[in-house]
Amino acid sequence: METCGERIKAIRKEAEENQKDFSSAIGISQAHLSNIEKGKDNPSDKLLRIIASEYEVRFDWLKSE
């Protein structure tokens, strides 16, 4: 099953953005995004809502385990 970080990485790849551009668009550091994608950090609900809004994906899908 996909992790939240893997789903965020898939969204970023689909948008054809590198980590620098994607992290800037959602207001976090590139290092934090990298850690989220690797499963080392967990994104907050607030961050997931920003991603869902900015990239037109469902919050529930992003958050699901």
Side-chain angles (χ1 to χ4, degrees), residues 17 20-28 50 54-55:
E17 292 184 9
K20 181 180 178 186
D21 293 338
F22 189 87
S23 61
S24 179
I26 60 173
I28 63 172
I50 291 168
E54 186 74 25
Y55 293 90

Side-chain angles (χ1 to χ4, degrees), residues 18-63:
N18 59 32
Q19 284 187 340
K20 181 180 178 186
D21 293 338
F22 189 87
S23 61
S24 179
I26 60 173
I28 63 172
S29 70
Q30 182 178 349
H32 186 44
L33 175 61
S34 178
N35 285 335
I36 289 171
E37 289 185 356
K38 293 176 186 173
K40 293 180 179 179
D41 287 344
N42 292 316
S44 66
D45 283 357
K46 180 180 177 182
L47 180 58
L48 292 177
R49 289 188 191 284
I50 291 168
I51 294 169
S53 174
E54 186 74 25
Y55 293 90
E56 299 179 351
V57 296
R58 287 182 17 254
F59 170 79
D60 293 342
W61 173 75
L62 268 178
K63 185 158 175 83

